[in-house]
Amino acid sequence: MKTQRALLLIAAAIVAATLSPDAPGAEESSAMLSPQALQEIAQVEAEIDRIEVQTIERLAAPPDNQVQQIELLGKLLLYDKQLSVNRNEACAFCHMPEAGFTGPVSELNRTTGSYPGSVRTRFSNRKPQSHAYAPLSPVLHYNPGQGDLVGGNFWDMRATGRRLGNPAAEQAEGPPTNPVEMGLPDIACAVYRGSQRPYRAMFESVWGQQAFAIAWPGDVEQACARPGPPPAGEPMPVHLGPIDRGRAGTTFDQMAQSIGGYEASAEVTPFTSKFDAVLAGKTQFTTQEQMGYDLFRGKARCNGCHRDGGPGEDPLFTDFTASNIGTPANPRLPYYAENRPDALGYVANPAGSAFVDGGVGNFLTQGHLLSQPSAVDARWLKLAPGNQARFQVPTLRNVDKRPDPGFVKAYTHNGYFTSLKAIVHFYNTRDVLPRCQPHDVNEGMTCWPAPESTDNMNTSRVGRLGLSDAEEDAIVSFMQTLSDGFMVVNQ
């Protein structure tokens, strides 16, 4: 494990090295940004702009089906940089199709794990999740037969879906006012910004003319240009009357439901992997892929949590529960260095290098969360100790989807792992290999750091699987069949 001092130095250096050139204070630090990172970020932002322009063009001849109209609105909202406080970051910056709708910047995945927000000096404490297949998660509920919470969105399940009946929609409501993400100080700001966008007329056609019929105060531009969180004692800095406030809340919900509709569409959640083609009898696994699938379902015990389906189930490769697999802390996270007030006086991480991510347990106890969760069911408070340090089991669909073979992806809630081989090796040997000494160059090969937290650590399916190197490779080969976009070649 890195020492706390080294961790802070590394994190601080990464914060400086990953600032956007147009961010406050970036003049001094942009020179530290590697040419590769600059190039990748520029490419991603250009692709977001291209997709947005292309999608706006569809408004000239919109679909006449309301479901397709909602999907179109959702896509426009996801690629709209104007919905961030500094008008510089779309939701898609962390969720691009070429990376399986997760983080699209290889250099950030390799270094920071998490991504900068609209305020470019602020980073999240977690890596971006994929939003593909996320709408198929059930509303969060307690299953007494399993003795477990099931469903929701976000790593900590805090987008429960119990208010809107849709976890993906409630997830979409988190980033706009998250200070380390899109950074708006008030949900009304997202509605105000949306009212000025080209999709306003279609939104009103789908959701009603009342959607943006709001008497905006004269200082709304000024209020919405100040990054969140809102000032102490003023949780809603856009000053609206009770009727307009209620209308803004409803419209914000409808924006989120539109995003959930797009994420559930065949464009994002298509079931077009090689695995799906094999199920349909249109192709066959290679020998190595079949070996990996057999191990996945058998000796490696992957299928216990990353379920490949059953009677009445789609093969979503998650059981929608949570688990602590003993992931080490990721010292590359800039979040560890966000323990002092930034230029705007905001402290993202009061705990500094002592921060330990409590996962689902932290949500249930309403701990220090960066974005507002869904309402917590008070009856679940007793479940908090048993959920401390547990994180939602992610779908393995698109787990290896990347724009090119050299592209680095990050895995687990904190992005500690940067290859599928590494995480399979961890599952296999976590409890076999010794603990690493500080600065051990063989970390991840002949030793592992201590877990970030041992609370509720999974010891039944992880840690000592007895797999050979060839068997680990076979499991990786199988997981590579889960990327969407597979084309069947006619024999």
Tab-separated table of all heavy atoms in Angstrom, residues 1-2 7 10-11 14 108-114 125-127 327-336 355 410-418 443 449-452:
chain	number	residue	atom	x	y	z
A	1	MET	N	0.833	-1.202	0.000
A	1	MET	CA	0.000	0.000	0.000
A	1	MET	C	0.870	1.255	0.000
A	1	MET	O	1.934	1.290	0.592
A	1	MET	CB	-0.884	0.023	1.252
A	1	MET	CG	-1.921	-1.078	1.270
A	1	MET	SD	-3.259	-0.738	0.123
A	1	MET	CE	-4.113	0.541	1.010
A	2	LYS	N	0.397	2.281	-0.635
A	2	LYS	CA	1.099	3.553	-0.611
A	2	LYS	C	0.934	4.189	0.762
A	2	LYS	O	-0.070	4.013	1.435
A	2	LYS	CB	0.541	4.501	-1.680
A	2	LYS	CG	0.457	3.897	-3.070
A	2	LYS	CD	1.829	3.687	-3.665
A	2	LYS	CE	1.709	3.222	-5.115
A	2	LYS	NZ	3.015	2.916	-5.703
A	7	LEU	N	0.303	8.992	-1.159
A	7	LEU	CA	-1.016	9.001	-1.777
A	7	LEU	C	-1.461	10.431	-2.073
A	7	LEU	O	-1.932	10.744	-3.168
A	7	LEU	CB	-1.995	8.316	-0.828
A	7	LEU	CG	-3.430	8.099	-1.295
A	7	LEU	CD1	-3.987	6.860	-0.613
A	7	LEU	CD2	-4.296	9.300	-0.955
A	10	ILE	N	0.632	11.962	-4.925
A	10	ILE	CA	0.229	11.424	-6.230
A	10	ILE	C	-1.100	12.023	-6.659
A	10	ILE	O	-1.270	12.493	-7.781
A	10	ILE	CB	0.129	9.888	-6.170
A	10	ILE	CG1	1.532	9.288	-6.023
A	10	ILE	CG2	-0.536	9.330	-7.418
A	10	ILE	CD1	1.514	7.814	-5.687
A	11	ALA	N	-2.067	12.014	-5.733
A	11	ALA	CA	-3.393	12.522	-6.077
A	11	ALA	C	-3.349	13.998	-6.449
A	11	ALA	O	-3.979	14.428	-7.406
A	11	ALA	CB	-4.354	12.289	-4.908
A	14	ILE	N	-2.021	14.416	-9.886
A	14	ILE	CA	-2.968	14.007	-10.914
A	14	ILE	C	-4.049	15.062	-11.098
A	14	ILE	O	-4.469	15.362	-12.210
A	14	ILE	CB	-3.586	12.640	-10.561
A	14	ILE	CG1	-2.524	11.553	-10.681
A	14	ILE	CG2	-4.749	12.303	-11.473
A	14	ILE	CD1	-2.967	10.209	-10.148
A	108	LEU	N	-7.311	8.828	-18.491
A	108	LEU	CA	-7.939	9.021	-17.187
A	108	LEU	C	-8.222	7.677	-16.537
A	108	LEU	O	-8.041	7.515	-15.323
A	108	LEU	CB	-9.228	9.829	-17.318
A	108	LEU	CG	-9.088	11.278	-17.780
A	108	LEU	CD1	-10.452	11.956	-17.816
A	108	LEU	CD2	-8.124	12.066	-16.905
A	109	ASN	N	-8.676	6.703	-17.307
A	109	ASN	CA	-8.920	5.377	-16.753
A	109	ASN	C	-7.630	4.787	-16.185
A	109	ASN	O	-7.643	4.111	-15.147
A	109	ASN	CB	-9.478	4.449	-17.831
A	109	ASN	CG	-10.817	4.916	-18.370
A	109	ASN	OD1	-11.516	5.706	-17.733
A	109	ASN	ND2	-11.178	4.453	-19.550
A	110	ARG	N	-6.524	5.043	-16.865
A	110	ARG	CA	-5.239	4.480	-16.456
A	110	ARG	C	-4.675	5.201	-15.233
A	110	ARG	O	-3.981	4.591	-14.414
A	110	ARG	CB	-4.233	4.583	-17.606
A	110	ARG	CG	-2.896	3.897	-17.350
A	110	ARG	CD	-1.937	4.100	-18.510
A	110	ARG	NE	-1.502	5.492	-18.603
A	110	ARG	CZ	-0.493	6.009	-17.883
A	110	ARG	NH1	0.143	5.259	-17.009
A	110	ARG	NH2	-0.149	7.269	-18.039
A	111	THR	N	-4.989	6.472	-15.092
A	111	THR	CA	-4.379	7.269	-14.025
A	111	THR	C	-5.368	7.574	-12.907
A	111	THR	O	-5.288	6.991	-11.821
A	111	THR	CB	-3.788	8.568	-14.594
A	111	THR	OG1	-4.808	9.285	-15.312
A	111	THR	CG2	-2.628	8.277	-15.533
A	112	THR	N	-6.307	8.460	-13.139
A	112	THR	CA	-7.168	8.923	-12.051
A	112	THR	C	-8.288	7.957	-11.691
A	112	THR	O	-8.782	7.989	-10.565
A	112	THR	CB	-7.804	10.277	-12.413
A	112	THR	OG1	-8.618	10.114	-13.571
A	112	THR	CG2	-6.742	11.316	-12.689
A	113	GLY	N	-8.745	7.137	-12.638
A	113	GLY	CA	-9.886	6.262	-12.365
A	113	GLY	C	-11.198	7.012	-12.433
A	113	GLY	O	-12.115	6.638	-13.153
A	114	SER	N	-11.328	8.098	-11.690
A	114	SER	CA	-12.512	8.944	-11.747
A	114	SER	C	-12.284	10.080	-12.737
A	114	SER	O	-11.176	10.259	-13.253
A	114	SER	CB	-12.824	9.507	-10.356
A	114	SER	OG	-11.761	10.329	-9.900
A	125	ASN	N	-15.342	10.378	-6.278
A	125	ASN	CA	-14.670	9.320	-5.532
A	125	ASN	C	-14.818	7.960	-6.196
A	125	ASN	O	-14.258	6.973	-5.711
A	125	ASN	CB	-15.228	9.246	-4.109
A	125	ASN	CG	-16.727	8.953	-4.079
A	125	ASN	OD1	-17.465	9.384	-4.957
A	125	ASN	ND2	-17.176	8.253	-3.059
A	126	ARG	N	-15.544	7.899	-7.322
A	126	ARG	CA	-15.792	6.606	-7.976
A	126	ARG	C	-15.643	6.730	-9.481
A	126	ARG	O	-15.787	7.806	-10.043
A	126	ARG	CB	-17.204	6.094	-7.643
A	126	ARG	CG	-17.404	5.794	-6.174
A	126	ARG	CD	-18.837	5.425	-5.862
A	126	ARG	NE	-19.016	5.238	-4.419
A	126	ARG	CZ	-20.164	5.389	-3.780
A	126	ARG	NH1	-21.250	5.746	-4.459
A	126	ARG	NH2	-20.246	5.190	-2.485
A	127	LYS	N	-15.384	5.613	-10.111
A	127	LYS	CA	-15.294	5.579	-11.574
A	127	LYS	C	-16.701	5.568	-12.169
A	127	LYS	O	-17.647	5.122	-11.521
A	127	LYS	CB	-14.513	4.346	-12.033
A	127	LYS	CG	-15.343	3.103	-12.213
A	127	LYS	CD	-14.650	2.079	-13.083
A	127	LYS	CE	-15.665	1.158	-13.757
A	127	LYS	NZ	-16.331	1.772	-14.886
A	327	THR	N	-11.753	-5.141	-2.738
A	327	THR	CA	-10.953	-4.283	-3.629
A	327	THR	C	-10.024	-3.383	-2.807
A	327	THR	O	-10.468	-2.760	-1.840
A	327	THR	CB	-11.876	-3.404	-4.488
A	327	THR	OG1	-12.761	-4.244	-5.231
A	327	THR	CG2	-11.067	-2.538	-5.441
A	328	PRO	N	-8.750	-3.294	-3.179
A	328	PRO	CA	-7.859	-2.355	-2.480
A	328	PRO	C	-8.276	-0.910	-2.744
A	328	PRO	O	-8.951	-0.609	-3.729
A	328	PRO	CB	-6.486	-2.646	-3.102
A	328	PRO	CG	-6.602	-4.017	-3.704
A	328	PRO	CD	-8.034	-4.132	-4.161
A	329	ALA	N	-7.880	-0.013	-1.862
A	329	ALA	CA	-8.046	1.418	-2.128
A	329	ALA	C	-7.247	1.778	-3.378
A	329	ALA	O	-6.217	1.167	-3.664
A	329	ALA	CB	-7.565	2.233	-0.934
A	330	ASN	N	-7.744	2.747	-4.128
A	330	ASN	CA	-7.039	3.189	-5.333
A	330	ASN	C	-6.334	4.508	-5.035
A	330	ASN	O	-6.963	5.568	-5.024
A	330	ASN	CB	-8.017	3.372	-6.497
A	330	ASN	CG	-7.324	3.797	-7.782
A	330	ASN	OD1	-6.094	3.922	-7.817
A	330	ASN	ND2	-8.088	4.030	-8.829
A	331	PRO	N	-5.022	4.476	-4.786
A	331	PRO	CA	-4.312	5.714	-4.417
A	331	PRO	C	-4.242	6.731	-5.534
A	331	PRO	O	-3.850	7.872	-5.307
A	331	PRO	CB	-2.909	5.207	-4.039
A	331	PRO	CG	-2.746	3.940	-4.803
A	331	PRO	CD	-4.115	3.325	-4.849
A	332	ARG	N	-4.649	6.336	-6.763
A	332	ARG	CA	-4.600	7.274	-7.880
A	332	ARG	C	-5.791	8.231	-7.883
A	332	ARG	O	-5.805	9.199	-8.641
A	332	ARG	CB	-4.550	6.500	-9.211
A	332	ARG	CG	-3.362	5.582	-9.340
A	332	ARG	CD	-3.290	4.917	-10.715
A	332	ARG	NE	-4.484	4.182	-11.080
A	332	ARG	CZ	-4.744	2.925	-10.717
A	332	ARG	NH1	-3.881	2.266	-9.949
A	332	ARG	NH2	-5.845	2.321	-11.106
A	333	LEU	N	-6.809	7.974	-7.075
A	333	LEU	CA	-7.987	8.843	-7.052
A	333	LEU	C	-7.615	10.242	-6.557
A	333	LEU	O	-7.151	10.397	-5.421
A	333	LEU	CB	-9.062	8.265	-6.129
A	333	LEU	CG	-9.844	7.041	-6.597
A	333	LEU	CD1	-10.760	6.568	-5.471
A	333	LEU	CD2	-10.660	7.333	-7.850
A	334	PRO	N	-7.843	11.279	-7.358
A	334	PRO	CA	-7.597	12.642	-6.880
A	334	PRO	C	-8.451	13.012	-5.677
A	334	PRO	O	-8.114	13.933	-4.933
A	334	PRO	CB	-7.943	13.508	-8.092
A	334	PRO	CG	-7.806	12.601	-9.269
A	334	PRO	CD	-8.232	11.253	-8.777
A	335	TYR	N	-9.545	12.298	-5.468
A	335	TYR	CA	-10.472	12.591	-4.375
A	335	TYR	C	-9.768	12.634	-3.022
A	335	TYR	O	-10.156	13.397	-2.136
A	335	TYR	CB	-11.572	11.536	-4.382
A	335	TYR	CG	-12.707	11.792	-3.429
A	335	TYR	CD1	-13.613	12.827	-3.657
A	335	TYR	CD2	-12.905	10.994	-2.304
A	335	TYR	CE1	-14.673	13.051	-2.794
A	335	TYR	CE2	-13.951	11.212	-1.434
A	335	TYR	CZ	-14.834	12.245	-1.683
A	335	TYR	OH	-15.881	12.469	-0.826
A	336	TYR	N	-8.736	11.817	-2.848
A	336	TYR	CA	-8.034	11.805	-1.565
A	336	TYR	C	-7.403	13.155	-1.236
A	336	TYR	O	-7.170	13.467	-0.069
A	336	TYR	CB	-6.955	10.724	-1.565
A	336	TYR	CG	-7.490	9.314	-1.475
A	336	TYR	CD1	-7.424	8.455	-2.556
A	336	TYR	CD2	-8.053	8.846	-0.292
A	336	TYR	CE1	-7.913	7.154	-2.477
A	336	TYR	CE2	-8.545	7.550	-0.192
A	336	TYR	CZ	-8.468	6.708	-1.291
A	336	TYR	OH	-8.956	5.428	-1.199
A	355	PHE	N	-10.170	8.647	3.987
A	355	PHE	CA	-11.467	8.288	3.402
A	355	PHE	C	-11.555	6.791	3.102
A	355	PHE	O	-10.643	6.205	2.517
A	355	PHE	CB	-11.695	9.074	2.114
A	355	PHE	CG	-12.867	8.595	1.303
A	355	PHE	CD1	-14.168	8.885	1.691
A	355	PHE	CD2	-12.669	7.840	0.150
A	355	PHE	CE1	-15.245	8.437	0.943
A	355	PHE	CE2	-13.737	7.390	-0.601
A	355	PHE	CZ	-15.029	7.692	-0.203
A	410	ALA	N	-11.144	0.964	-16.737
A	410	ALA	CA	-10.995	0.828	-15.293
A	410	ALA	C	-12.172	0.008	-14.755
A	410	ALA	O	-13.289	0.096	-15.272
A	410	ALA	CB	-10.952	2.197	-14.628
A	411	TYR	N	-11.896	-0.751	-13.707
A	411	TYR	CA	-12.906	-1.658	-13.152
A	411	TYR	C	-13.013	-1.505	-11.640
A	411	TYR	O	-12.078	-1.065	-10.979
A	411	TYR	CB	-12.565	-3.105	-13.504
A	411	TYR	CG	-12.511	-3.353	-15.000
A	411	TYR	CD1	-11.298	-3.480	-15.658
A	411	TYR	CD2	-13.681	-3.430	-15.750
A	411	TYR	CE1	-11.246	-3.701	-17.031
A	411	TYR	CE2	-13.643	-3.636	-17.117
A	411	TYR	CZ	-12.421	-3.772	-17.757
A	411	TYR	OH	-12.384	-3.974	-19.115
A	412	THR	N	-14.146	-1.931	-11.112
A	412	THR	CA	-14.605	-1.816	-9.727
A	412	THR	C	-14.950	-0.374	-9.390
A	412	THR	O	-14.692	0.548	-10.159
A	412	THR	CB	-13.613	-2.403	-8.694
A	412	THR	OG1	-12.388	-1.671	-8.714
A	412	THR	CG2	-13.359	-3.867	-8.958
A	413	HIS	N	-15.566	-0.190	-8.232
A	413	HIS	CA	-16.128	1.122	-7.886
A	413	HIS	C	-15.098	2.238	-7.887
A	413	HIS	O	-15.425	3.388	-8.181
A	413	HIS	CB	-16.811	1.048	-6.513
A	413	HIS	CG	-15.857	0.887	-5.369
A	413	HIS	ND1	-15.295	-0.324	-5.031
A	413	HIS	CD2	-15.356	1.790	-4.482
A	413	HIS	CE1	-14.493	-0.167	-3.990
A	413	HIS	NE2	-14.517	1.095	-3.632
A	414	ASN	N	-13.845	1.914	-7.564
A	414	ASN	CA	-12.834	2.968	-7.482
A	414	ASN	C	-11.820	2.922	-8.618
A	414	ASN	O	-10.847	3.682	-8.615
A	414	ASN	CB	-12.110	2.915	-6.129
A	414	ASN	CG	-11.371	1.597	-5.899
A	414	ASN	OD1	-11.207	0.787	-6.815
A	414	ASN	ND2	-10.931	1.371	-4.675
A	415	GLY	N	-12.038	2.049	-9.602
A	415	GLY	CA	-11.152	1.996	-10.752
A	415	GLY	C	-9.772	1.440	-10.454
A	415	GLY	O	-8.834	1.679	-11.223
A	416	TYR	N	-9.629	0.668	-9.358
A	416	TYR	CA	-8.305	0.148	-8.993
A	416	TYR	C	-7.725	-0.731	-10.095
A	416	TYR	O	-6.535	-0.660	-10.408
A	416	TYR	CB	-8.391	-0.639	-7.677
A	416	TYR	CG	-7.093	-1.355	-7.328
A	416	TYR	CD1	-6.067	-0.676	-6.685
A	416	TYR	CD2	-6.897	-2.696	-7.666
A	416	TYR	CE1	-4.871	-1.319	-6.389
A	416	TYR	CE2	-5.711	-3.338	-7.370
A	416	TYR	CZ	-4.695	-2.645	-6.737
A	416	TYR	OH	-3.514	-3.284	-6.460
A	417	PHE	N	-8.556	-1.578	-10.695
A	417	PHE	CA	-8.081	-2.509	-11.717
A	417	PHE	C	-8.173	-1.868	-13.096
A	417	PHE	O	-9.146	-1.185	-13.413
A	417	PHE	CB	-8.903	-3.797	-11.702
A	417	PHE	CG	-8.844	-4.532	-10.391
A	417	PHE	CD1	-9.852	-4.372	-9.445
A	417	PHE	CD2	-7.786	-5.358	-10.085
A	417	PHE	CE1	-9.800	-5.041	-8.231
A	417	PHE	CE2	-7.722	-6.029	-8.869
A	417	PHE	CZ	-8.736	-5.864	-7.940
A	418	THR	N	-7.174	-2.115	-13.931
A	418	THR	CA	-7.172	-1.523	-15.271
A	418	THR	C	-7.062	-2.587	-16.366
A	418	THR	O	-6.721	-2.266	-17.496
A	418	THR	CB	-6.032	-0.505	-15.416
A	418	THR	OG1	-4.789	-1.120	-15.060
A	418	THR	CG2	-6.276	0.714	-14.529
A	443	GLU	N	3.090	-5.641	-7.356
A	443	GLU	CA	1.703	-5.540	-6.909
A	443	GLU	C	0.760	-6.017	-8.008
A	443	GLU	O	0.863	-5.601	-9.154
A	443	GLU	CB	1.388	-4.089	-6.541
A	443	GLU	CG	-0.030	-3.857	-6.043
A	443	GLU	CD	-0.266	-2.409	-5.625
A	443	GLU	OE1	0.623	-1.824	-4.971
A	443	GLU	OE2	-1.343	-1.868	-5.963
A	449	PRO	N	-2.433	-5.560	-2.238
A	449	PRO	CA	-2.603	-4.668	-1.082
A	449	PRO	C	-3.781	-5.129	-0.229
A	449	PRO	O	-4.625	-5.915	-0.668
A	449	PRO	CB	-2.893	-3.306	-1.725
A	449	PRO	CG	-2.468	-3.435	-3.151
A	449	PRO	CD	-2.652	-4.865	-3.511
A	450	ALA	N	-3.844	-4.616	0.980
A	450	ALA	CA	-4.977	-4.917	1.851
A	450	ALA	C	-6.262	-4.352	1.255
A	450	ALA	O	-6.233	-3.369	0.509
A	450	ALA	CB	-4.733	-4.323	3.231
A	451	PRO	N	-7.413	-4.939	1.551
A	451	PRO	CA	-8.685	-4.377	1.087
A	451	PRO	C	-8.895	-2.969	1.626
A	451	PRO	O	-8.396	-2.619	2.707
A	451	PRO	CB	-9.730	-5.337	1.662
A	451	PRO	CG	-8.985	-6.601	1.951
A	451	PRO	CD	-7.600	-6.181	2.326
A	452	GLU	N	-9.624	-2.165	0.873
A	452	GLU	CA	-10.010	-0.846	1.384
A	452	GLU	C	-10.792	-1.009	2.682
A	452	GLU	O	-10.634	-0.235	3.614
A	452	GLU	CB	-10.842	-0.100	0.341
A	452	GLU	CG	-11.280	1.277	0.782
A	452	GLU	CD	-12.080	2.024	-0.267
A	452	GLU	OE1	-12.495	1.414	-1.274
A	452	GLU	OE2	-12.281	3.243	-0.092
